């Protein structure tokens, strides 16, 4: 009786080793979306005992950014920057790193953009003034965002009688940033589970992901419209009455002092000289 040889397919190993590329683009996209979700859902920084009310914080941030951007005299910019630096020195290291992440990126980007002008056309003042203003204004904006929830920020807008359409767009945008990020993560995870290994049709895969997200976003928008219609939403937001705190008087004094300093350095000092 002849001995039969064992088939080769029984001797081959069934261990599968995916190729290197294994959905690297989709995984990086998912990582970026997780970062966006984490930043949106992050709890605000505790304001502390001597915190201004949300409308006062919004007013201080708005006028600070406006005056710093419009200031021609760099001394005023230095004064505002010094006040912000003193306040940042009182914060925790983790909170400070989170606040300064975006302003530092904006500062470096403005330096890189203006570096050729400073080198070729000797625009050294622009190289100093513009990045400094960028750093200060983005730090103020980051402080405002990190210290308040989005709903509090919406209420602060309504306190100053902002148009209902603007508040409605802002409110829905912040909500659907989270919703669309979750849809994107679910779709990317489904694609990665169904297509392990090397993806030779990346454009087609990306097109499928975008198409699914578009269809689900359209359905979510229709559901949102139906829900608001059933609840008789007319697009009108009631005015928010924030409780007035004693520390808000200090905010008003600081705001008036900043406006007076701006007028002095921009007009009075110029007229005296």
């Amino acid at each position: 009786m002849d001995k039969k040889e064992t088939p080769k397919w029984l001797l081959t190993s069934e261990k599968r080793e995916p190729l290197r590329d294994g959905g690297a683009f989709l995984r990086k996209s998912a990582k970026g979306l997780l970062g966006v979700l984490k930043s949106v859902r992050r709890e605000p920084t505790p304001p502390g005992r001597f915190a201004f009310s949300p409308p006062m914080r919004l007013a201080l941030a708005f006028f600070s950014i406006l005056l710093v951007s419009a200031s021609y005299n760099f001394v005023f910019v230095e004064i505002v920057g010094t006040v912000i630096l003193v306040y940042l020195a009182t914060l925790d290291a983790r909170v400070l790193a989170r606040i300064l992440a975006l302003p530092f990126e904006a500062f470096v980007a403005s330096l890189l953009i203006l570096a050729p002008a400073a080198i070729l056309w000797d625009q050294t003042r622009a190289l100093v003034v513009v990045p400094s203003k960028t750093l200060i204004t983005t730090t103020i904006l980051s402080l405002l965002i990190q210290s308040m929830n989005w709903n509090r920020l919406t209420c602060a807008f309504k306190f100053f009688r902002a148009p209902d359409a603007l508040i409605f767009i802002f409110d829905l945008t912040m909500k659907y940033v989270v919703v669309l990020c979750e849809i994107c993560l679910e779709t990317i995870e489904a694609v990665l589970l169904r297509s392990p290994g090397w993806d030779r049709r990346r454009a087609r895969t990306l097109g499928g992901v975008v198409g699914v997200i578009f269809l689900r976003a359209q359905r979510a928008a229709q559901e949102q419209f139906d829900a608001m219609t059933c609840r008789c939403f007319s697009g009108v937001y009631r005015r928010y009455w924030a409780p007035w705190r004693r520390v808000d008087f200090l905010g008003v004094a600081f705001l008036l002092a900043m406006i007076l300093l701006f007028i002095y350095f921009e007009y009075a000092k110029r007229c005296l000289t």
Side-chain angles (χ1 to χ4, degrees):
M1 187 174 180
D2 297 335
K3 294 182 179 180
K4 293 184 178 179
E5 295 182 356
T6 305
K8 292 182 179 181
W9 61 271
L10 286 176
L11 300 176
T12 57
S13 175
E14 294 184 357
K15 184 180 179 182
R16 181 188 167 277
E17 295 182 0
L19 298 176
R20 279 187 174 182
D21 188 55
F25 174 74
L26 293 177
R27 294 183 190 279
K28 290 180 181 178
S29 301
K31 186 177 179 181
L33 291 171
L34 284 174
V36 174
L37 276 178
K38 185 178 179 181
S39 61
V40 173
R41 289 177 170 175
R42 183 183 292 119
E43 290 294 327
T45 304
R49 184 178 177 183
F50 301 101
F52 299 125
S53 61
M56 179 55 64
R57 291 184 227 171
L58 181 62
L60 284 172
F62 174 77
F63 281 102
S64 299
I65 293 173
L66 180 64
L67 296 179
V68 168
S69 301
S71 176
Y72 182 79
N73 195 318
F74 195 68
V75 178
F76 176 79
V77 179
E78 290 177 342
I79 294 173
V80 176
T82 304
V83 173
I84 295 173
L85 186 62
V86 171
Y87 176 75
L88 291 176
T90 62
L91 300 178
D92 186 67
R94 294 182 180 178
V95 177
L96 186 62
R98 190 166 64 238
I99 290 174
L100 292 180
L102 183 61
F104 181 74
E105 293 177 1
F107 176 74
V108 173
S110 61
L111 276 178
L112 293 177
I113 292 172
L114 292 172
I119 296 172
L120 299 176
W121 296 286
D122 195 22
Q123 297 292 331
T124 54
R125 176 179 170 80
L127 186 63
V128 174
V129 172
V130 176
S132 300
K133 288 187 176 182
T134 302
L135 179 63
I136 292 173
T137 52
T138 50
T139 302
I140 294 171
L141 189 60
S142 183
L143 281 170
L144 176 67
I145 294 172
Q146 294 291 338
S147 64
M148 278 197 296
N149 285 324
W150 293 109
N151 56 348
R152 290 291 182 183
L153 192 57
T154 304
C155 293
F157 278 122
K158 188 58 183 177
F159 179 83
F160 292 106
R161 298 182 180 275
D164 291 326
L166 177 64
I167 299 175
F168 178 73
I169 292 172
F170 178 79
D171 203 11
L172 281 187
T173 300
M174 294 311 305
K175 174 184 176 182
Y176 276 97
V177 163
V178 178
V179 173
L180 290 179
C181 282
E182 291 177 347
I183 292 174
C184 291
L185 287 173
E186 293 173 0
T187 309
I188 290 174
E189 184 179 2
V191 171
L192 288 174
L193 291 175
R194 286 168 173 79
S195 59
W198 184 268
D199 188 6
R200 295 181 177 83
R201 299 175 297 178
R202 298 182 186 179
R204 185 175 178 181
T205 302
L206 183 61
V209 171
V210 173
V212 171
I213 294 170
F214 175 76
L215 292 175
R216 292 188 63 179
Q218 189 177 18
R219 185 175 64 184
Q222 185 62 41
E223 291 174 356
Q224 177 76 22
F225 174 78
D226 295 337
M228 296 174 73
T229 303
C230 292
R231 288 169 175 79
C232 302
F233 180 72
S234 60
V236 177
Y237 288 82
R238 289 182 296 178
R239 189 177 179 187
Y240 171 70
W241 293 99
W244 188 259
R245 305 174 185 176
R246 293 182 180 178
V247 73
D248 288 337
F249 290 103
L250 180 61
V252 173
F254 178 75
L255 183 60
L256 292 176
M258 186 169 53
I259 294 174
L260 291 176
L261 279 174
F262 177 81
I263 295 173
Y264 171 75
F265 285 110
E266 293 298 320
Y267 299 103
K269 191 174 182 180
R270 194 181 303 176
C271 293
L272 292 175
T273 56

